Amino acid sequence: MTAQKIKHNPRLFLQRAMDIQRRQLLLAMADAVSECRTAESMAAELNRDGETGLLRLAEIWCCLSPGTGGRIMEGRGAELLADVLAQVYACLVLRPLHTPAGMGLYVELLYMMEALMLGEWFD
């Protein structure tokens, strides 16, 4: 890599790191949606961490897709979690984030997906 490339694109390393983090996150989120659908079919209930995670995901969803009006969410906990998670996934696929704050969100969501996949959100 030449100094010229870095000079013209000082955020090159951040962009590469974000691309890697985004790919890891999207894979983890796809697995988590599937896990939530399985939990839904088994009538699993969200525990306190799961409810908190669902609320945080809903907040993230609203921030990622502003101006789309109010949202009405209906259903049981695992069903809502799967639906909101799928919506956040869709937002990230359609509009990747390219800022340091976006990197922070990717890391937060990846941490949440790991906890969800370990079953820490269900009773």
Side-chain angles (χ1 to χ4, degrees), residues 1 20 31 86 91 93 99 103 105 114:
M1 176 175 307
I20 292 168
D31 290 342
C91 287
V93 167
T99 64
M103 176 64 106
L105 182 61
E114 289 173 4

Side-chain angles (χ1 to χ4, degrees), residues 3 8 10 24 30-31 53 64 71 80 84 105 107-108 115 119-120:
H8 290 297
Q24 290 176 342
D31 290 342
L64 289 174
R71 291 172 175 82
L80 284 173
V84 171
L105 182 61
V107 172
E108 177 185 5
E120 295 176 5

Side-chain angles (χ1 to χ4, degrees), residues 11-30:
R11 298 178 60 171
L12 177 72
F13 298 111
L14 175 63
Q15 290 173 353
R16 287 183 182 173
M18 288 189 70
D19 289 342
I20 292 168
Q21 193 69 32
R22 180 175 175 267
R23 278 193 295 266
Q24 290 176 342
L25 174 61
L26 292 177
L27 289 171
M29 289 181 81

Side-chain angles (χ1 to χ4, degrees), residues 44-113:
E45 295 292 326
L46 293 177
N47 60 22
R48 186 179 299 257
D49 287 347
E51 291 172 356
T52 302
L54 173 59
L55 290 174
R56 178 63 180 137
L57 284 169
E59 180 181 31
I60 290 169
W61 178 32
C62 289
C63 291
L64 289 174
S65 57
T68 57
R71 291 172 175 82
I72 298 173
M73 301 189 313
E74 296 178 352
R76 297 186 57 235
E79 178 185 6
L80 284 173
L81 181 58
D83 291 345
V84 171
L85 189 55
Q87 292 297 326
V88 171
Y89 177 87
C91 287
L92 293 175
V93 167
L94 295 174
R95 291 180 299 282
L97 305 174
H98 300 289
T99 64
M103 176 64 106
L105 182 61
Y106 286 163
V107 172
E108 177 185 5
L109 287 169
L110 188 58
Y111 174 79
M112 292 170 73
M113 296 309 103

